[in-house]
Amino acid sequence: MSTSDLFSSQPTPAERAAELRAQLNHHAHRYYVLDAPEIPDAEYDRLFRELQALEAAHPELLTPDSPTQRVGGALLDELAKVRHAVPMLSIETETDTEPTGALNFDTRVRRALGLAEDALAVEYVGELKFDGLAMSLRYQNGVMVQAATRGDGEVGEDVTHNIRTIGQVPLRLPADCPAVLEVRGEVYMRRDQFEALNEKQRAKIAAGAKGEKTFVNPRNAAAGAVRQLDSAIAAQRPLSFFAYGLGEVTPVEQGGPTFKTHFGLLMQLKAWGFPVAEQTTVARGADELIAFHQRIGAARDQLPFDIDGVVYKVNSLALQRELGFKTREPRWAVAHKYPAQEQLTTVLAIDVQVGRTGKLTPVAKLAPVFVGNVTVTNATLHNEDEARRKDVRVGDTVIVRRAGDVIPEVVASLPEKRVGGAEPFTMPHTCPVCGSVAVREEGEVDYRCTGGLFCGAQRKQALLHYAQRRAVEIEGLGDKLVEQLVDADVVKTLPDLYRLGLMALANLDRMAEKSAQNILAALEKSKQTTLPRFLFGLGIRHVGEATAKEMARHFGNLDAIMDASLEQLLEVNDVGPIVAQSIRTFFDQPHNREVVEQLRACGVTWAEGAPAERAAQPLAGKTFVLTGTFPTLKREEAKEMLEAAGAKVAGSVSKKTDYVVAGEEAGSKLDKARELGVAVIDEAGMLALLQS
Ligand code: IVH
């Protein structure tokens, strides 16, 4: 203990409260903004509770910037109006989503500044255009005193009570900040947090909670949270914030900051504790703007939040002043959009499609709509529960989303726009293609047609699956041809493919003799295949390419696979009970074995190996238990050797145990083995087994 400690007096409650606030603010910034906490959550909670207790005991110490005020509690009758000291302007949108959008802006700026063709490139800042809602945060003497929405740009709404709950928004700024500072930026919700919120909402609705709903998109959820009258509700909605500009600031003459560039002011905001998007960059001239637009466009789907474009701003604040404003928008900034990922359209019909394994999938047929850079006419509704949950009906106006290469989906239906008296969707209980009964098994979400290969839809899919490049590969056997072959009943099973003659093929629509010959040649070529490709091509449920490879490696030949017991199948890498059962069920059906035999008879072959893995795995299927201390091997070494030979090493003895390997001072496991009559061997005996 140092002498100063001995003589220092206890801090007063006011001092301690200030100290705790400083610490909590520091750690909140590390946690929420920098994503780099220095202390465990429990320690933060401890400091937090100490401050809460202190403020409860000394209410006069409570300040609006105290971190305890983030948790929410204020309940309002209505949101108060706020007149913005500096209007919140909007920003011009460049509608041309191609790179020329950036070029157009640069040309306008250069012309307005009267720059000659050969003058230097203008310097810009490239920012993300966040898809949330604009917010103005007002700080007086470093304390956040007000948060307001944009409203009509002149007058917004006071949402301070809710914005306080956002961990990323600093409540107090460092001492070097100006006396008055308005920070403008965007409140938004991250996609993962949006999904988690909706998951919670669904659970509440399922539990019968009244007045709860799910949200259409993160923007919507964020907007709803920001305008809550009850800040306790807002506190439960995970919101985030990015700063991108300033409102009113103490003027330079009164000691305010002297920013020269937009980028410089953003970096200062960052230093004061505000989140600034890491993608924010300085770009010189149109070329670098175009590169920025393309780079962000390519990374868009990997961002954890939604953006609908990028924003370009002239970097020099002096040039910004020179450019000035058109009525509502600055001439020094522009938003350059990306193609929308969500659009409204109407549902023309709900079809039910039948997949290869008989799975029935409801698909919304849509009025064509351009979204995510393609024209979408179909969107999956996944299954009956999904379709019901979203309550999508024929004639409905729906939001369609297509992000990246993900298949388009219906995000939500807008029932308030429903006109006709369309009924809720119900899944048919018979297959729409073959009329067989469709069943939904206990615990499954999908209905399945029980028609098997009798079902034309399943047959088509089975043929396409077998013929695909990753399976046996029959070049030229695509959708159209399979469609005709099945509809004309020329091909009923896989082996029928190899029985096709030139005449049968040439008789089909749009099939010249030359193409028919090509198909025959491709069929011939496909006969030479490999075991994994063939296995995968059979289309056994749950057996993908990787599983087929593992099975082939493990068993070496097809007969061994067809005859393998469930236990033996379970020994294959990555094969669990569901996959094993599916393989067993498949080969237990005589007609499937028949298909395999006929394919072989038609000349489909592959190199068969001995059950390679088994030869190297003399102890496959055997279970060992180790107990006691061995003379030469460590327990872990013995275990590894046994496992390498295919054995399982279990922790306790049961009737299923094949051998107990006992060393010195073997205990209760040895007794148990004797009781159950399990074979007991020593280390030497085990090594002998491994040799055999
Ligand atoms: S600057 C004077 N920068 O887009 C310029 N706005 O119409 C004021 N937005 O509602 C806006 N990201 O909420 C700016 N990096 C960004 C932005 C951004 C999103 C929103 C803003 C406003 C709209 C502009």
Side-chain angles (χ1 to χ4, degrees):
M1 198 179 283
S2 70
T3 40
S4 67
D5 279 339
L6 273 177
F7 292 102
S8 72
S9 49
Q10 286 282 321
T12 64
E15 282 165 0
R16 180 61 185 152
E19 188 178 7
L20 285 168
R21 276 176 204 141
Q23 284 178 3
L24 286 164
N25 282 333
H26 169 77
H27 291 303
H29 181 244
R30 300 281 320 177
Y31 183 89
Y32 291 108
V33 181
L34 304 180
D35 213 1
E38 290 168 340
I39 56 169
D41 293 2
E43 177 60 14
Y44 182 87
D45 291 345
R46 201 188 59 70
L47 296 171
F48 192 88
R49 279 194 304 272
E50 187 187 337
L51 181 58
Q52 265 181 328
L54 203 57
E55 287 173 349
H58 304 274
E60 73 281 3
L61 295 180
L62 192 61
T63 59
D65 67 324
S66 174
T68 58
Q69 298 311 293
R70 285 192 192 280
V71 285
L75 187 63
L76 309 179
D77 292 335
E78 61 176 333
L79 299 174
K81 299 276 180 271
V82 175
R83 178 162 290 278
H84 297 297
V86 174
M88 290 181 77
L89 300 177
S90 65
I91 196 169
E92 186 185 348
T93 301
E94 178 56 64
T95 46
D96 190 344
T97 59
E98 295 299 307
T100 34
L103 203 60
N104 295 344
F105 173 61
D106 183 54
T107 309
R108 281 199 302 276
V109 168
R110 293 180 70 85
R111 196 173 302 143
L113 292 173
L115 291 176
E117 293 252 334
D118 55 356
L120 285 181
V122 175
E123 197 171 270
Y124 299 99
V125 174
E127 293 177 18
L128 305 183
K129 185 163 193 307
F130 312 105
D131 202 4
L133 57 153
M135 191 62 55
S136 185
L137 308 174
R138 187 175 174 89
Y139 292 81
Q140 272 165 208
N141 300 318
V143 176
M144 191 186 84
V145 292
Q146 191 171 63
T149 62
R150 177 166 178 267
D152 63 4
E154 304 286 337
V155 177
E157 284 173 318
D158 186 337
V159 289
T160 318
H161 59 301
N162 295 329
I163 299 308
R164 271 214 186 96
T165 68
I166 305 178
Q168 286 191 334
V169 169
L171 297 178
R172 165 170 279 281
L173 303 180
D176 64 340
C177 73
V180 171
L181 177 73
E182 276 183 15
V183 175
R184 303 260 162 103
E186 198 89 346
V187 171
Y188 67 96
M189 192 179 287
R190 285 201 332 243
R191 270 212 96 76
D192 59 337
Q193 296 190 315
F194 162 74
E195 302 291 350
L197 172 65
N198 261 356
E199 199 60 49
K200 271 212 287 206
Q201 292 300 105
R202 279 196 284 276
K204 282 191 201 163
I205 295 165
K210 290 271 165 295
E212 297 289 351
K213 59 166 198 158
T214 56
F215 300 95
V216 166
N217 55 37
R219 208 199 95 78
N220 221 275
V226 164
R227 302 196 63 253
Q228 281 293 326
L229 294 173
D230 180 356
S231 65
I233 296 180
Q236 289 163 21
R237 308 265 171 88
L239 296 174
S240 301
F241 179 78
F242 274 127
Y244 55 61
L246 294 177
E248 191 188 5
V249 189
T250 308
V252 184
E253 310 80 62
Q254 292 168 32
T258 50
F259 297 122
K260 295 255 176 310
T261 63
H262 180 67
F263 192 78
L265 84 80
L266 288 181
M267 290 308 106
Q268 179 60 68
L269 289 182
K270 192 170 163 185
W272 281 332
F274 294 93
V276 174
E278 63 181 69
Q279 292 80 3
T280 310
T281 189
V282 172
R284 282 167 200 85
D287 290 351
E288 289 189 22
L289 287 182
I290 291 170
F292 178 72
H293 183 257
Q294 284 175 340
R295 185 155 49 81
I296 300 296
R300 181 185 186 193
D301 298 321
Q302 275 80 260
L303 291 175
F305 46 82
D306 282 352
I307 60 168
D308 54 359
V310 286
V311 176
Y312 311 134
K313 296 175 182 170
V314 170
N315 194 20
S316 155
L317 299 187
L319 289 185
Q320 280 192 9
R321 278 187 290 274
E322 192 176 332
L323 285 159
F325 298 84
K326 294 193 279 193
T327 35
R328 305 278 314 145
E329 298 151 349
R331 278 198 196 85
W332 43 263
V334 78
H336 193 184
K337 295 259 201 168
Y338 293 118
Q341 291 177 320
E342 287 185 0
Q343 289 289 1
L344 288 184
T345 187
T346 50
V347 178
L348 304 176
I350 300 177
D351 280 3
V352 174
Q353 292 181 353
V354 187
R356 175 171 62 80
T357 57
K359 179 180 151 182
L360 304 192
T361 306
V363 176
K365 298 278 155 182
L366 306 169
V369 60
F370 192 72
V371 53
N373 233 3
V374 296
T375 299
V376 170
T377 52
N378 291 321
T380 179
L381 295 172
H382 302 290
N383 55 51
E384 182 180 46
D385 292 354
E386 267 299 284
R388 286 287 194 89
R389 186 170 69 68
K390 290 178 177 163
D391 192 18
V392 178
R393 307 187 191 184
V394 175
D396 277 4
T397 300
V398 291
I399 299 170
V400 183
R401 179 177 174 87
R402 182 184 181 271
D405 293 331
V406 182
I407 52 170
E409 68 162 349
V410 172
V411 177
S413 165
L414 306 178
E416 61 275 18
K417 294 206 173 184
R418 192 170 283 154
V419 273
E423 295 293 311
F425 171 77
T426 50
M427 202 69 164
H429 292 201
T430 54
C431 172
V433 174
C434 73
S436 300
V437 174
V439 290
R440 177 176 176 174
E441 310 230 326
E442 184 83 23
E444 296 245 337
V445 289
D446 296 317
Y447 276 83
R448 278 177 203 282
C449 161
T450 55
L453 289 185
F454 166 74
C455 174
Q458 291 188 59
R459 223 186 305 160
K460 285 175 193 168
Q461 296 299 320
L463 291 171
L464 285 170
H465 180 80
Y466 179 79
Q468 68 176 298
R469 197 172 40 78
R470 285 149 56 211
V472 303
E473 185 168 27
I474 306 173
E475 228 185 293
L477 192 74
D479 279 339
K480 295 265 152 41
L481 186 52
V482 164
E483 185 100 24
Q484 291 193 61
L485 291 171
V486 171
D487 289 346
D489 242 0
V490 196
V491 173
K492 295 199 181 67
T493 67
L494 288 179
D496 284 347
L497 282 173
Y498 294 105
R499 301 188 184 109
L500 284 171
L502 193 59
M503 283 304 289
L505 278 170
N507 273 339
L508 298 173
D509 269 1
R510 281 175 295 172
M511 177 68 82
E513 192 177 318
K514 181 77 187 115
S515 351
Q517 265 163 353
N518 287 345
I519 297 287
L520 289 180
L523 278 161
E524 205 48 43
K525 188 167 163 219
S526 76
K527 288 181 182 173
Q528 288 296 330
T529 185
T530 65
L531 181 52
R533 283 169 170 267
F534 182 77
L535 255 185
F536 172 59
L538 288 177
I540 305 168
R541 210 175 150 203
H542 303 305
V543 177
E545 252 182 312
T547 309
K549 277 188 190 143
E550 284 295 337
M551 303 260 300
R553 204 171 59 85
H554 187 94
F555 290 102
N557 65 68
L558 186 62
D559 289 328
I561 296 172
M562 292 205 292
D563 295 336
S565 66
L566 269 184
E567 288 77 33
Q568 288 168 329
L569 289 169
L570 282 169
E571 282 163 20
V572 180
N573 256 350
D574 293 335
V575 170
I578 292 176
V579 182
Q581 186 55 60
S582 168
I583 298 168
R584 226 13 299 136
T585 308
F586 184 88
F587 288 117
D588 279 344
Q589 307 221 339
H591 73 87
N592 285 334
R593 285 179 174 258
E594 182 63 23
V595 163
V596 170
E597 282 329 307
Q598 289 186 18
L599 284 169
R600 280 168 154 167
C602 290
V604 179
T605 68
W606 53 87
E608 293 258 80
E613 285 301 293
R614 287 233 218 154
Q617 298 209 311
L619 300 181
K622 300 288 181 210
T623 304
F624 286 70
V625 173
L626 308 178
T627 180
T629 313
F630 305 128
T632 66
L633 293 173
K634 290 209 183 82
R635 180 86 68 95
E636 201 45 43
E637 290 171 334
K639 182 166 182 246
E640 273 171 23
M641 289 168 78
L642 287 167
E643 282 175 348
K648 271 192 189 151
V649 178
S652 61
V653 182
S654 74
K655 273 187 286 187
K656 289 194 191 130
T657 311
D658 293 292
Y659 297 97
V660 167
V661 188
E664 290 268 308
E665 289 175 52
S668 61
K669 289 180 188 167
L670 183 56
D671 301 338
K672 185 82 191 259
R674 296 216 168 102
E675 188 188 313
L676 294 174
V678 174
V680 177
I681 55 174
D682 59 5
E683 186 192 272
M686 180 188 84
L687 291 172
L689 273 179
L690 284 166
Q691 294 288 310
S692 65

